[in-house]
Amino acid sequence: MLERIWRESLKNYAVGLLVNLAAILAITYILSDDTSRFVLNWSGAALTLTTLRFAQFLHAARRYRQTHTFLLVDSFYLNLGLVCAGGFWAVLGWWGIDHYQGAQQFAIIVILAAMAGGATGTLSSLKIAGKAYILLLVLPACIRLLQTGIHSYLTLGVLGVIFAWVMMISHQNNYKLVRRSIGLALSNKGLLDEVSSMAEELKQENDTLEARVEERSKDLLRLAYYDELTGLLNRHGVFNLVKYFGITPGNVTVFLINLARFKQINDGMGHEAGDMVLRQVAQRLEALASQLNQDIFGNVDCQVGRWGGDEFIFYFSRLGDGALTPQEVGSLLKDEINQRMQVAGKTISVDVNIGAVSEQDCDNPNNLFLYADIAAGEARQSGHVVFFTPGMREQLRRKTTLAQDLRMAIGNGQLSIVTHNIVSAEDHSLASCEILSRWAHPELGDISPVEFIPVAEESGTIVELGDWVIHQAMAAQPQLERMAGKPVKVAVNVSLYQLLQEDFVDKLMLFTSGDFAPQNLIVELTESVFHEDEIALVKQALFKIKQLGVEIHIDDFGTGYSSFSRICELPIDAIKIDKAFIQSEDEKNIAIIEAVVFIARRLKIRVIAEGIESQDQAEKMRMLGVNELQGFFFGKPAALPSIQ
Ligand code: C2E
Ligand code: MG
Ligand code: MG
């Protein structure tokens, strides 16, 4: 507060000095015709004092500019200068009223009154010195007027005293006003400081918030475009990549890599192990991509992404002729992932199906991933890296139609069964009948089971279809027996997918709990049941089936994963050697059949030869020791008249 008042005083002091100077010069001029030297002496002394005051003022103002603080010593000298100036005017008033008459006397009174009036404002910040100055200006002249004893001067003197009193009050009020306004300005400043510090705080908070929002946006971006588990681009990220970079026509190949039997790893070894497999595959793909990207001629651009679940995308852009071909990259991918890996303390190898599509085979870049997926579907069957061809699109369309229509076909009588005899090799008498399904599609005509069974397996309809076939077989069995005039067993083909259904054995038990004797049923399974991944479950199911009294045959023997050591472990009654061996002219195949018969005999397993088309073949098989025969030579699969 003191500092602000001081500043206010300095500001007005300069004005006061100027007014003072003007008044000195004016009064000197008005009184200059006086013969006495008093006025000139007074004027000289007053101007000297004004100069000194001015010098003191400059000194104090400079000090204030440097320190911005109130200094008592400066205040003292300035106040002293002011009071001295007041003293000079007091002397002039005292002497002048007495010495002059008329206009000059009047001029003195006017100048003194005007200066006193002005001082109530300009000196309002100087509480005591200001009042002293006003009193020094007015009172001596008033006293002199009162001393004259002249009536009108007396009145003027009294008025002057009242005037001085009013000016004291006015000065005091002005002083209070100055203080209050300074106080208000200071509290406003405090308020302003508070507001600006709040604004600063707000700004800081805003900055932190903005940083957090930015961080959060990055997180969201990461989540949106990257896969958390592997750190690879996710499906969105891959799409974005293609969208962002675009595709240079004719040089891009997209590989869709699907891990075969990943579900078994997850189910058998746990989800953590599954995650480890996915991470390791991701690392291998990334390593391969960065290895290919190191092409010194910049011929290659590879990117890796996780398509979802157990599927990955390998994006290969061939920018120059020196780069590897897509076929070579496909083989590298397969080899890389096939290599053994350590997972949860075990060494495992992961099989992959790889579907690929090169841009020149793709009508629209948006379809790249779809076509790669179609090719991957093909790869699932062949086990090789399969490149998309336009014909596959048609196949896929047909497959999709068949899968949809098959669901309805079972219920609306489009499916039927045929029976195919299996005879004794010795006398060709009927031993059993294999039940095969047939589908008469209303628009597409007869569909072979070679086509619709895989579709049923893929779409899951095989379970319903399989149940239906078993029922049909059980229903046909008494009639077949009647026709043959001897006991006849019925054989049904059962898919691995069907066998692995948890309730398959229970259902079989239920089906055979009525009039039908389980001993009259044969289950034909292909060699896929020997695959290592499912062997434990298969074993369990087969022993239960065997317990029921149902016979178990291995179909198409020799085409898949057969191994006699596996056959020893399982309750197998017979093996059906695939027709490819029977119909082949190659002598080596005869040797194989011989060996199979030899081992099977030791294991007490019967051998059936399928695909017999001639007397010759039938005789040869009998000679080799095959127990039963099946083939067109003994009649083609045929419908049962009464069942139709
Ligand atoms: P499969 O079980 O090995 O059946 C034998 C197939 O070979 C039958 O073809 C039969 O018509 C054919 N065949 C039999 N003897 C000869 C012959 O002397 N020469 C020639 N060239 N072929 C012969 P089909 O009926 O087309 O069945 C094909 C495959 O479809 C079957 O092979 C079986 O694996 C599957 N299948 C058929 N019906 C069903 C079914 O109801 N369920 C399941 N899961 N699979 C079935
Ligand atoms: Mg069969
Ligand atoms: Mg067969």
Side-chain angles (χ1 to χ4, degrees):
M1 174 68 105
L2 257 178
E3 183 261 328
R4 290 298 297 267
I5 292 179
W6 178 231
R7 193 191 326 166
E8 203 61 28
S9 307
L10 281 176
K11 225 175 9 182
N12 290 333
Y13 203 86
V15 181
L17 270 175
L18 280 175
V19 172
N20 208 41
L21 179 67
I24 293 169
L25 293 175
I27 206 72
T28 307
Y29 174 71
I30 293 167
L31 305 181
S32 59
D33 58 347
D34 185 47
T35 47
S36 76
R37 295 193 58 83
F38 178 80
V39 173
L40 282 178
N41 289 340
W42 179 88
S43 178
L47 285 174
T48 310
L49 178 69
T50 306
T51 311
L52 285 174
R53 282 180 67 203
F54 188 65
Q56 176 59 33
F57 161 74
L58 287 179
H59 176 71
R62 197 175 57 241
R63 274 233 286 238
Y64 175 73
R65 261 203 308 277
Q66 285 163 358
T67 59
H68 280 280
T69 49
F70 161 74
L71 285 172
L72 193 62
V73 58
D74 286 336
S75 165
F76 172 76
Y77 281 121
L78 287 186
N79 283 334
L80 182 68
L82 180 72
V83 174
C84 287
F88 268 81
W89 286 109
V91 169
L92 186 80
W94 185 267
W95 177 79
I97 295 297
D98 186 45
H99 189 74
Y100 295 106
Q101 295 291 321
Q104 286 170 320
Q105 201 178 37
F106 180 70
I108 293 171
I109 292 171
V110 167
I111 286 178
L112 289 177
M115 283 177 61
T120 56
T122 51
L123 302 181
S124 58
S125 55
L126 303 174
K127 188 181 179 185
I128 296 168
K131 287 187 184 79
Y133 182 73
I134 292 167
L135 288 178
L136 282 169
L137 285 178
V138 181
L139 280 186
C142 288
I143 294 167
R144 272 302 209 202
L145 286 171
L146 292 173
Q147 277 177 349
T148 57
I150 304 166
H151 181 69
S152 56
Y153 279 20
L154 276 176
T155 314
L156 206 60
V158 172
L159 266 177
V161 174
I162 295 169
F163 183 56
W165 180 66
V166 170
M167 277 190 291
M168 284 300 101
I169 294 170
S170 164
H171 180 271
Q172 181 61 22
N173 285 342
N174 283 347
Y175 172 74
K176 281 184 189 163
L177 205 70
V178 168
R179 276 193 76 99
R180 210 172 302 142
S181 63
I182 288 174
L184 215 64
L186 284 176
S187 73
N188 273 351
K189 188 179 175 294
L191 213 66
L192 267 173
D193 287 349
E194 208 174 307
V195 167
S196 76
S197 96
M198 269 166 72
E200 181 59 28
E201 258 173 48
L202 214 71
K203 188 182 168 302
Q204 275 175 10
E205 216 159 284
N206 212 24
D207 286 351
T208 340
L209 251 162
E210 261 176 33
R212 272 167 54 192
V213 166
E214 200 181 310
E215 192 58 29
R216 196 78 198 96
S217 310
K218 277 187 195 157
D219 280 351
L220 284 174
L221 198 77
R222 219 177 12 249
L223 279 177
Y225 291 113
Y226 289 89
D227 172 52
E228 286 231 68
L229 180 71
T230 59
L232 297 179
L233 288 171
N234 61 16
R235 189 181 279 235
H236 236 84
V238 173
F239 270 134
N240 209 41
L241 178 92
V242 173
K243 205 168 89 187
Y244 186 67
F245 288 111
I247 290 174
T248 327
N251 65 7
V252 165
T253 305
V254 167
F255 295 88
L256 187 94
I257 299 153
N258 181 280
L259 306 189
R261 289 180 295 280
F262 180 70
K263 190 177 176 307
Q264 275 87 342
I265 297 178
N266 251 348
D267 293 349
M269 297 175 72
H271 284 256
E272 269 181 36
D275 286 352
M276 282 167 80
V277 169
L278 292 174
R279 268 193 232 109
Q280 288 198 48
V281 170
Q283 281 163 10
R284 287 178 185 190
L285 292 175
E286 275 196 311
L288 184 65
S290 72
Q291 189 191 326
L292 295 179
N293 280 337
Q294 274 166 17
D295 181 300
I296 48 165
F297 300 109
N299 279 326
V300 170
D301 176 29
C302 290
Q303 304 283 345
V304 186
R306 184 168 172 213
W307 198 237
D310 58 356
E311 289 180 329
F312 294 86
I313 286 284
F314 195 88
Y315 177 94
F316 171 69
S317 182
R318 192 171 189 256
L319 306 170
D321 288 341
L324 292 176
T325 63
Q327 283 72 14
E328 287 169 326
V329 173
S331 309
L332 273 178
L333 283 169
K334 199 166 169 59
D335 293 349
E336 200 61 39
I337 303 173
N338 272 160
Q339 279 180 33
R340 295 181 164 268
M341 59 173 79
Q342 288 290 324
V343 175
K346 284 189 182 165
T347 309
I348 63 163
S349 62
V350 178
D351 262 346
V352 279
N353 309 306
I354 302 180
V357 61
S358 287
E359 241 226 299
Q360 60 264 33
D361 296 323
C362 192
D363 47 5
N364 179 346
N366 294 333
N367 287 340
L368 269 174
F369 300 106
L370 172 72
Y371 293 170
D373 193 35
I374 294 175
E378 291 293 316
R380 237 163 256 147
Q381 271 142 43
S382 71
H384 300 118
V385 180
V386 173
F387 280 79
F388 175 82
T389 57
M392 281 179 195
R393 225 177 329 158
E394 196 33 60
Q395 281 173 28
L396 182 83
R397 213 167 288 149
R398 185 175 161 94
K399 249 184 171 175
T400 317
T401 313
L402 291 184
Q404 277 167 1
D405 295 352
L406 190 58
R407 286 181 198 283
M408 325 279 268
I410 304 169
N412 61 18
Q414 292 172 25
L415 286 185
S416 62
I417 56 154
V418 290
T419 66
H420 200 207
N421 292 350
I422 298 170
V423 300
S424 152
E426 284 304 323
D427 56 7
H428 297 185
S429 62
L430 186 66
S432 57
C433 281
E434 181 175 4
I435 307 295
L436 297 159
S437 32
R438 294 288 177 262
W439 182 11
H441 192 284
E443 281 128 38
L444 302 172
D446 288 345
I447 316 279
S448 159
V450 177
E451 188 178 5
F452 75 76
I453 293 295
V455 171
E457 284 173 340
E458 269 175 45
S459 61
T461 323
I462 192 71
V463 177
E464 204 184 329
L465 189 147
D467 289 350
W468 179 83
V469 172
I470 296 172
H471 271 119
Q472 295 297 310
M474 283 164 44
Q477 191 270 341
Q479 192 196 352
L480 289 166
E481 216 167 61
R482 266 199 311 278
M483 280 161 60
K486 57 180 277 203
V488 175
K489 296 188 177 202
V490 280
V492 289
N493 294 283
V494 170
S495 295
L496 178 64
Y497 183 84
Q498 226 179 315
L499 179 76
L500 291 178
Q501 295 297 305
E502 263 178 52
D503 58 349
F504 178 73
V505 182
D506 296 339
K507 275 200 282 189
L508 211 57
M509 212 185 299
L510 196 72
F511 294 163
T512 55
S513 60
D515 294 341
F516 186 88
Q519 287 72 18
N520 286 331
L521 186 67
I522 299 168
V523 163
E524 285 192 15
L525 300 158
T526 60
E527 287 176 313
S528 56
V529 295
F530 294 131
H531 199 281
E532 249 177 67
D533 294 335
E534 289 92 13
I535 194 68
L537 286 171
V538 166
K539 211 170 176 175
Q540 219 177 15
L542 292 191
F543 274 100
K544 284 188 192 163
I545 293 170
K546 186 71 192 157
Q547 259 179 353
L548 283 178
V550 174
E551 267 193 42
I552 299 168
H553 293 188
I554 297 300
D555 203 353
D556 303 337
F557 189 82
T559 53
Y561 309 83
S562 307
S563 92
F564 272 105
S565 65
R566 280 272 182 251
I567 287 181
C568 293
E569 289 173 28
L570 301 172
I572 309 288
D573 296 289
I575 48 179
K576 259 177 127 173
I577 300 174
D578 191 74
K579 50 183 170 289
F581 290 91
I582 281 77
Q583 294 169 350
S584 160
E585 299 291 314
D586 194 339
E587 278 303 306
K588 275 188 211 148
N589 284 332
I590 300 296
I592 291 173
I593 297 170
E594 230 171 356
V596 169
V597 171
F598 176 76
I599 299 170
R601 215 175 257 165
R602 299 288 296 266
L603 296 173
K604 301 201 170 28
I605 291 174
R606 296 191 336 264
V607 178
I608 304 167
E610 66 176 2
I612 305 288
E613 292 185 352
S614 66
Q615 170 78 46
D616 234 29
Q617 286 169 346
E619 192 48 26
K620 213 191 280 176
M621 291 304 129
R622 188 190 66 79
M623 301 272 282
L624 285 171
V626 171
N627 305 95
E628 287 158 32
L629 307 173
Q630 185 186 28
F632 292 171
F633 177 67
F634 306 104
K636 291 203 170 180
L640 276 175
S642 60
I643 304 175
Q644 281 295 70

